[in-house]
Amino acid sequence: MKWDHRIYRLFIFWYIVGIILLGFDILPSWLEWANAVFLILAGTIGFLYFVRRFGKTYGITIGLIIFFATFIVEGAGANSGFLFGSYDYTDRFAPNLFGVPIAIGFAWLMVVATSHVLARWIFPNGTIAYAVTGGIGAVIMDLIIDPVAYHIKGYWIWEDTGWYYGIPWTNFMGWFLISFVLHLLIDFVMRRRSMTIDNDIHERRLVLLYLLMIGMFAMLGALGGLWLAVAASVIPAVILAVIAWNRKPS
């Protein structure tokens, strides 16, 4: 499969350009659409990983379930406050479908795929511990994504509130629960397929993708003075990655 290599290279190029434009605050307003494309590329990497990891039938099924399940839940959250709390998406993250940015489904693909690899390296035999770790890995990422997207980028507006940058605790609980359930689904497929864990370049790419995403949002958080969010995400992310790397299959 050559598409995953090409898309990963395109993502890295997009990432480097984004770091320069955002770091020096020279991203023109007419190029805001590039942020959605950035997440779409990251999510596509996650989707193609699932296809390569589980085969076309299982991989595509997992990818579609993650995309549509999270898209529906996000839509319910934005319209009724279900699970996450009450919030509304703005038009700065367009294109939107039923009030939810299309890029959100791709973002969840990236989050679940990257946290899956880290959790599975730590707990290669799966079980609840794997799903819990995957959920924690997802929340760690959201600890920086949400404050930046809310306060700096203005992608959504929280109507509920909380002590962590005005974000309700239900949001992070919702992230954990969704990620936990999706990781249980992946664990079920892994057991059904009786597949071993391979420490190949594709899995290492997903770990790098996890750190790169947190790194970019941490940079934006630091530039915006969100130092608590930077520390709350970067420190546990590095710890999680180090533990996973030390326990990864040989």
Side-chain angles (χ1 to χ4, degrees):
M1 184 187 297
K2 295 182 179 180
W3 274 108
D4 49 359
H5 297 292
R6 294 169 182 169
I7 291 178
Y8 197 86
R9 292 192 187 103
L10 177 58
F11 168 81
I12 294 298
F13 169 77
W14 211 279
Y15 184 91
I16 293 172
V17 173
I19 286 289
I20 295 172
L21 294 178
L22 294 171
F24 289 97
D25 195 22
I26 55 176
L27 179 69
S29 58
W30 59 267
L31 199 57
E32 282 289 337
W33 57 268
N35 294 319
V37 174
F38 174 73
L39 287 179
I40 290 173
L41 286 174
T44 301
I45 292 172
F47 180 82
L48 292 176
Y49 165 78
F50 285 129
V51 174
R52 175 179 285 276
R53 188 74 185 83
F54 300 111
K56 290 184 178 179
T57 300
Y58 283 96
I60 291 175
T61 300
I62 288 174
L64 291 178
I65 288 176
I66 292 172
F67 182 91
F68 287 107
T70 55
F71 193 87
I72 291 171
V73 171
E74 290 277 359
N79 289 297
S80 67
F82 170 73
L83 198 60
F84 300 107
S86 184
Y87 62 99
D88 294 296
Y89 286 104
T90 66
D91 58 0
R92 298 192 64 184
F93 206 22
N96 294 358
L97 181 63
F98 303 117
V100 180
I102 294 177
I104 287 296
F106 287 93
W108 271 103
L109 277 167
M110 175 273 298
V111 170
V112 176
T114 55
S115 57
H116 155 72
V117 174
L118 287 166
R120 187 62 82 163
W121 277 6
I122 297 173
F123 296 103
N125 295 323
T127 70
I128 298 297
Y130 151 77
V132 170
T133 304
I136 292 173
V139 172
I140 289 172
M141 184 175 287
D142 191 45
L143 286 171
I144 187 63
I145 288 179
D146 222 288
V148 170
Y150 174 31
H151 288 281
I152 297 178
K153 303 301 292 183
Y155 289 150
W156 52 77
I157 300 172
W158 280 103
E159 296 175 7
D160 289 342
T161 188
W163 68 268
Y164 188 77
Y165 297 105
I167 303 168
W169 69 270
T170 50
N171 172 69
F172 303 108
M173 180 59 69
W175 265 68
F176 175 81
L177 290 175
I178 291 175
S179 301
F180 175 76
V181 171
L182 291 174
H183 280 89
L184 283 180
L185 169 65
I186 296 173
D187 184 62
F188 171 78
V189 174
M190 289 286 284
R191 293 177 182 279
R192 189 178 182 84
R193 294 280 289 171
S194 299
M195 299 177 69
T196 57
I197 307 300
D198 298 318
N199 176 27
D200 60 11
I201 187 173
H202 303 285
E203 300 229 320
R204 294 195 295 273
R205 280 179 177 177
L206 267 292
V207 174
L208 177 61
L209 176 59
Y210 181 85
L211 295 174
L212 286 176
M213 293 299 295
I214 291 179
M216 171 172 278
F217 278 90
M219 179 196 73
L220 293 173
L223 292 174
L226 307 180
W227 292 107
L228 173 60
V230 172
S233 59
V234 171
I235 294 174
V238 171
I239 293 174
L240 182 65
V242 169
I243 294 173
W245 184 262
N246 289 330
R247 292 177 61 91
K248 72 182 184 302
S250 57

